[in-house]
């Protein structure tokens, strides 16, 4: 049986400001750093064993992953394909869960103006997961973003369009996926 752990990054400055981050780099807050350190401790306390941590190169995910790596001793490396989706015209707007944005997320071919469509995003995330599953001898921790969490969850679980658009995980929440 294979296993992938997904961790959303710690609280970022734009999370606090209720802005859509997407591929815009927004650093962790002081609380975000503390959440990441606590997550590393929790991974140790729960006896979670992993061979690798892969993380989005955006600083909020990278810093979270490096804190977890430091706490657990699990080697970490950047994986550019798990960078958050570019939400185009929605980047930096507020509130993050506006009705218009939520509706736009259910149109999977929409690239939000100059951003990235859900279909293109799914392709790159699903390709990474396919590679992880093919590596039967190793367990991974993926540290990324809320948008990436939707795709990881949809890879392993059937979801309706609205359920997909509304899916969310908390900062530094650890989710386990098995196959």
């Amino acid at each position: 049986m294979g296993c992938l752990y997904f961790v959303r990054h710690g609280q970022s400055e734009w999370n606090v400001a209720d802005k859509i981050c997407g591929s815009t780099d927004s650093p962790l807050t002081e609380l975000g750093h503390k959440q990441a350190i606590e997550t590393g401790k929790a991974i140790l306390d729960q006896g979670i064993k992993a061979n690798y941590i892969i993380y989005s190169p955006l600083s909020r995910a990278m810093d979270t992953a490096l804190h977890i790596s430091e706490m657990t001793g699990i080697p970490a490396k950047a994986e550019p394909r798990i960078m958050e989706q570019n939400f185009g015209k929605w980047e930096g707007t507020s509130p993050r869960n506006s009705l218009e944005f939520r509706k736009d997320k259910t149109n999977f071919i929409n690239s939000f103006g100059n951003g990235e469509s859900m279909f293109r995003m799914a392709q790159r995330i699903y390709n990474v997961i396919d590679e992880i599953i093919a590596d039967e001898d190793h367990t991974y921790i993926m540290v990324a973003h809320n948008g990436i969490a939707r795709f990881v969850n949809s890879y392993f679980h059937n979801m309706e369009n609205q359920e997909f658009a509304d899916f969310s995980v908390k900062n530094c929440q650890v989710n386990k996926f098995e196959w």
Side-chain angles (χ1 to χ4, degrees):
M1 176 176 285
C3 185
L4 167 66
Y5 294 92
F6 179 87
V7 179
R8 182 181 176 198
H9 61 78
Q11 181 189 69
S12 72
E13 290 180 3
W14 277 21
N15 290 154
V16 173
D18 197 29
K19 291 183 179 183
I20 297 168
C21 291
S23 62
T24 303
D25 207 1
S26 174
L28 292 178
T29 62
E30 184 177 327
L31 175 61
H33 286 283
K34 289 178 183 176
Q35 289 171 324
I37 292 166
E38 289 302 315
T39 301
K41 290 177 184 175
I43 286 170
L44 280 176
D45 292 346
Q46 294 171 24
I48 293 174
K49 303 285 186 217
N51 303 93
Y52 303 106
I53 298 171
I54 59 172
Y55 59 87
S56 160
L58 294 173
S59 67
R60 59 192 184 269
M62 178 183 69
D63 290 346
T64 300
L66 294 178
H67 283 307
I68 293 170
S69 176
E70 183 178 312
M71 298 302 301
T72 62
I74 301 168
K77 67 178 180 174
E79 172 49 77
R81 294 176 295 171
I82 62 172
M83 189 166 123
E84 180 62 290
Q85 183 173 6
N86 181 334
F87 290 114
K89 68 182 182 182
W90 294 106
E91 295 272 324
T93 64
S94 183
R96 288 183 355 206
N97 290 314
S98 71
L99 182 59
E100 296 86 7
F101 180 55
R102 288 177 51 221
K103 183 178 179 186
D104 244 4
K105 289 192 298 185
T106 63
N107 182 355
F108 296 150
I109 296 176
N110 183 357
S111 63
F112 313 110
N114 61 343
E116 180 180 23
S117 74
M118 296 290 182
F119 278 168
R120 290 188 187 278
M121 180 76 172
Q123 179 182 9
R124 66 180 168 94
I125 300 306
Y126 285 11
N127 287 346
V128 171
I129 297 171
D130 286 343
E131 291 171 17
I132 288 170
I133 288 173
D135 186 8
E136 297 174 359
D137 298 330
H138 297 103
T139 297
Y140 289 80
I141 297 173
M142 178 186 292
V143 180
H145 311 275
N146 201 39
I148 307 303
R150 286 184 200 96
F151 290 97
V152 174
N153 193 64
S154 73
Y155 186 98
F156 292 100
H157 305 288
N158 289 327
M159 300 172 79
E160 299 292 328
N161 288 0
Q162 194 61 54
E163 181 183 9
F164 174 87
D166 292 341
F167 185 81
S168 182
V169 295
K170 295 177 182 172
N171 294 109
C172 282
Q173 180 177 331
V174 179
N175 296 290
K176 182 178 182 179
F177 298 94
E178 295 179 308
W179 58 92

